[in-house]
């Protein structure tokens, strides 16, 4: 059977290795496996959210309220925007897909940092769009601007991943504003703030807020998610905040019931327990210090991180280190495929990090 | 901002009215509202599934095993196929999206019955594909064949919705086989079996099994779902079964983690409680008889249904009936937008159906 030509340039996405695979492959017991590979919140989610989900676990037969009225209302209040400025996605991933679908085609392209969130490229390829990347791995706005000016007519979307996954760096808000001002109204600038809750805690100068973007710019789409700080990675709930024009265009691409009934409830309840989120973030940066010390001890360079993970340059082959840790039940991310001899480690709980440091010592 | 031209022909999908809306709009108490609009299983889901979900409700922070190993294994055993013949979607809706995305573009089209599942057209429009429909509302394979032969080079996918949503009719397996034999290998035939569990119970002649389709044809994709008989509409889990070639092509379009961690567990557990499913189906057809009697009493024509809903032609304006029932807290589907003066009612529990009959009498 013949298929669409765009498929030829697409690979099947390989997600981070799941714990179940290590159990199946190496026969290691589940409790001895630590997964620090997918930037999940190691503290789980708010117990209030778990409780709310248990309570409605007999209502899985019912489709969710597809208007997502209550969730949008909660987000609108949190971010001081209107419900009509919000679109809900199955993770912010799906909002990326809507954005690329609404804006890009074979005649247009997307611009992003050399090393950034993999899904931008995957969705762009699906649309047959051209990919432009900066020479630097980390976000460099001068490079972004230079490429943008050269390919102004082709570039439909610019992705700024702030802070950046998988590297962890972020940019000062003021520089971001200055950059966006120079972009034409017809080019969409996506500010992916999946980890902004962490950034807000660590460095207020780097905090980017959707309501301020909305006031300043008509062409910006801000992305947020419940997958990281809110501890709901497994529930697939994200959102986009932007101009009504943009939200309406993206809404045409949103399939009905794109999040589950339980995910909807989880998102609504999660917004009510900010204390859980802040406690987890505080612990994250406390534990992050241990990784920085670990790097100093081994003499490894690392990127200062505004997220819940850290990217560490290794002086041995990163694939080797990855493989050896994997066999011992420690799952992290190898960044070799990004052209970096580095690993990305999610900041775990104290015990999880203890295990990482111990196993690392064994294999290094 | 300018957007892709395909968006111009797309409308924002309006899902069935949720209970929450009736609460907000008319101030009717939730317990006095009955929703027979979305073909949800009125018996909920298996209590074993609810229990399993409650047990892991503190693990919502973790992404699912993206290989869906255990779920595919369960489905493979159930359907006597291999795991590699299976793709998992966020509802079978999403598998439809993958299929259309893999096969159709501006130069190709999709063929379907005049009145059938709305998402076929929505996803086709998104790809800019042309829509071909039979003149008859219900599936008429002669008409399908005639249009196919006339537009052979254009038609990339043929959708057979068996049994058909929103009308409820189905076809004899033998006729379906005979039809597919006449279709070129390069045209994908999608057999949407979302309600096949009901058909199997009612009329074995109309039962279509994926493993038999797989043996006979290389170009068929069978769709199934946990949303209907398995009572998990709110969890968004569906699947496609087909040739490895087809599954691999569709997999390129599957976003990672496209179902939630709880949805994955729900699907796995649901397959283990066939008794719940069969009890619900048995009751469905027992209650269906009451609707048939209701139609006979009022002198309404109806379509013999092989599903968990019934389509009833009304001798008053169906929009009027819909509106009046809606105000009384009874939510059904009005089929006016399909060009039919008819309503579609999901078969509820005994009490729900009692309420429908009572309220109908009041408004008629």
């Amino acid at each position: 059977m013949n298929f669409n030509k765009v498929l030829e340039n697409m690979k099947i996405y390989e997600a981070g290795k799941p714990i179940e695979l290590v159990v199946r492959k190496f026969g290691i017991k589940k409790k001895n496996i630590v997964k620090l590979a997918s930037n999940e919140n190691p503290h789980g989610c708010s117990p209030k959210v778990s409780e709310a989900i248990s309570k409605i676990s007999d209502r899985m037969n019912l489709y969710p309220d597809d208007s997502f009225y209550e969730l949008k209302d909660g987000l609108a209040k949190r971010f001081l925007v209107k419900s009509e400025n919000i679109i809900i996605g199955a993770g912010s991933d799906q909002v990326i897909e809507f954005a690329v679908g609404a804006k890009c085609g074979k005649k247009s392209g997307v611009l992003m940092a050399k090393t950034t969130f993999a899904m931008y490229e995957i969705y762009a390829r699906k649309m047959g769009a051209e990919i432009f990347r900066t020479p630097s791995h980390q976000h460099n706005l001068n490079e972004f601007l230079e490429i943008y000016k050269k390919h102004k007519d082709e570039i439909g979307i610019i992705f700024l991943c702030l802070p950046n996954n998988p590297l962890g760096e972020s940019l000062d808000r003021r520089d971001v504003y200055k950059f966006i001002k120079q972009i034409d109204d017809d080019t969409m600038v996506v500010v992916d703030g999946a980890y902004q809750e962490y950034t807000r805690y660590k460095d207020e100068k780097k905090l980017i807020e959707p309501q301020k973007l909305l006031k300043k710019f008509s062409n910006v789409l801000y992305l947020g998610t419940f997958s990281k700080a809110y501890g709901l990675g497994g529930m697939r709930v994200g959102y986009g905040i932007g101009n009504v024009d943009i939200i309406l265009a993206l809404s045409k691409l949103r399939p009905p019931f794109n999040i589950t009934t339980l995910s909807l409830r989880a998102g609504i309840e999660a917004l009510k327990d900010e204390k859980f989120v802040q406690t987890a973030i505080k612990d994250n940066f406390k534990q992050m210090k241990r990784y920085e010390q670990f790097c100093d001890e081994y003499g490894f360079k690392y990127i200062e991180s505004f997220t819940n993970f850290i990217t560490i340059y290794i002086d041995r082959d990163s694939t080797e280190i990855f493989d050896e840790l994997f066999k011992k039940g420690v799952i992290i991310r190898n960044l070799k495929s990004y052209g970096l001899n580095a690993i990305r480690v999610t900041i775990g709980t104290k015990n999880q990090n203890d295990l990482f440091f111990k196993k690392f010592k064994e294999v290094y």
Side-chain angles (χ1 to χ4, degrees), chain A:
Chain A
M1 185 173 282
N2 294 308
F3 294 103
N4 271 351
K5 277 191 182 151
V6 289
L7 295 191
E8 287 167 17
N9 294 319
M10 290 177 72
K11 284 178 195 160
I12 292 174
Y13 176 88
E14 237 188 275
K17 309 283 183 200
I19 290 174
E20 289 81 356
L21 183 75
V22 185
V23 175
R24 289 196 297 270
K25 205 165 171 182
F26 303 111
I28 303 175
K29 280 184 186 157
K30 215 165 175 173
K31 59 170 186 169
N32 295 326
I33 299 170
V34 59
K35 185 183 165 208
L36 299 172
S38 299
N39 307 339
E40 295 150 332
N41 190 328
H43 300 283
C45 65
S46 157
K48 287 174 189 167
V49 178
S50 297
E51 206 180 299
I53 292 306
S54 289
K55 260 189 203 157
I56 61 163
S57 70
D58 59 343
R59 267 175 272 167
M60 292 189 282
N61 58 319
L62 302 178
Y63 288 99
D65 172 0
D66 193 52
S67 74
F68 304 140
Y69 179 88
E70 207 179 337
L71 179 59
K72 284 187 186 173
D73 194 52
L75 286 167
K77 281 175 182 142
R78 155 68 47 92
F79 288 115
L80 308 173
V81 299
K82 289 182 183 159
S83 286
E84 64 190 28
N85 294 117
I86 301 172
I87 184 167
I88 303 296
S92 48
D93 282 39
Q94 198 183 32
V95 187
I96 297 166
E97 185 177 16
F98 299 155
V100 176
K103 199 61 198 158
C104 296
K106 274 168 199 161
K107 283 178 192 162
S108 63
V110 302
L111 170 57
M112 63 189 85
K114 180 166 179 179
T115 296
T116 191
F117 189 44
M119 297 311 296
Y120 306 150
E121 172 163 348
I122 290 174
Y123 290 125
R125 283 200 185 279
K126 191 172 148 184
M127 294 304 296
E130 202 177 340
I131 318 285
F132 298 92
R133 286 183 186 274
T134 60
S136 297
H137 285 284
Q138 297 179 44
H139 282 68
N140 177 321
L141 291 178
N142 292 330
E143 291 177 7
F144 268 87
L145 203 58
E146 206 175 307
I147 298 173
Y148 167 71
K149 282 182 177 165
K150 209 169 153 186
H151 301 277
K152 211 171 165 172
D153 295 337
E154 297 146 79
I155 291 171
I157 297 191
I158 299 172
F159 281 104
L160 301 177
C161 190
L162 301 172
N164 188 21
N165 175 16
L167 299 183
E169 92 277 8
S170 207
L171 297 175
D172 282 4
R173 172 176 59 242
R174 203 187 298 181
D175 297 332
V176 175
Y177 287 172
K178 228 184 278 173
F179 170 77
I180 301 175
K181 259 184 209 154
Q182 296 173 79
I183 305 302
D184 191 90
D185 272 359
D186 196 39
T187 300
M188 194 190 294
V189 180
V190 176
V191 175
D192 185 343
Y195 297 88
Q196 273 285 331
E197 287 86 358
Y198 296 95
T199 305
R200 171 194 284 266
Y201 182 91
K202 186 170 179 180
D203 185 353
E204 204 279 329
K205 281 198 310 298
K206 291 182 165 53
L207 170 66
I208 297 179
E209 289 171 298
Q211 83 273 24
K212 293 197 179 144
L213 288 174
L214 254 184
K215 265 186 204 155
K216 282 178 185 291
F217 309 108
S218 68
N219 59 334
V220 176
L221 179 69
Y222 177 89
L223 302 182
T225 184
F226 287 92
S227 297
K228 305 303 171 187
Y230 287 88
L232 292 173
M235 297 307 281
R236 319 305 296 120
V237 193
Y239 49 89
I241 301 179
N243 227 338
V244 175
D245 275 4
I246 292 180
I247 298 302
L248 281 179
L250 270 58
S251 297
K252 289 187 174 182
L253 297 172
R254 185 183 69 80
F257 312 125
N258 59 321
I259 67 169
T260 77
T261 299
L262 301 195
S263 305
L264 178 58
R265 176 55 46 196
I268 292 165
E269 296 301 325
L271 284 175
K272 297 178 189 165
D273 191 2
E274 191 59 24
K275 202 180 155 194
F276 165 81
V277 177
Q278 292 311 320
T279 307
I281 292 176
K282 196 173 167 186
D283 190 64
N284 174 72
F285 285 110
K286 192 176 155 193
Q287 292 296 319
M288 177 89 76
K289 282 218 176 78
R290 300 179 65 201
Y291 278 89
E292 292 171 353
Q293 282 161 6
F294 157 88
C295 289
D296 291 342
E297 273 168 34
Y298 280 86
F300 296 152
K301 276 189 195 163
Y302 64 88
I303 298 173
E304 189 189 4
S305 171
F306 296 84
T307 67
N308 68 344
F309 58 83
I310 186 163
T311 291
I312 302 170
Y313 295 96
I314 295 288
D315 63 359
R316 268 183 53 198
D317 184 66
S318 67
T319 304
E320 242 177 73
I321 290 283
F322 170 83
D323 286 344
E324 288 175 31
L325 283 170
F326 189 56
K327 281 178 202 153
K328 287 185 175 279
V330 176
I331 318 174
I332 55 164
R333 267 300 179 108
N334 177 15
L335 298 185
K336 192 56 77 70
S337 65
Y338 290 93
L340 294 167
N341 194 62
I343 55 173
R344 189 195 70 183
V345 188
T346 302
I347 310 301
T349 58
K350 183 182 176 303
N351 288 343
Q352 289 177 325
N353 300 328
D354 287 348
L355 194 63
F356 170 83
F357 296 134
K358 183 174 166 244
K359 296 288 176 186
F360 189 90
K361 209 172 192 173
E362 287 174 25
V363 305
Y364 185 72

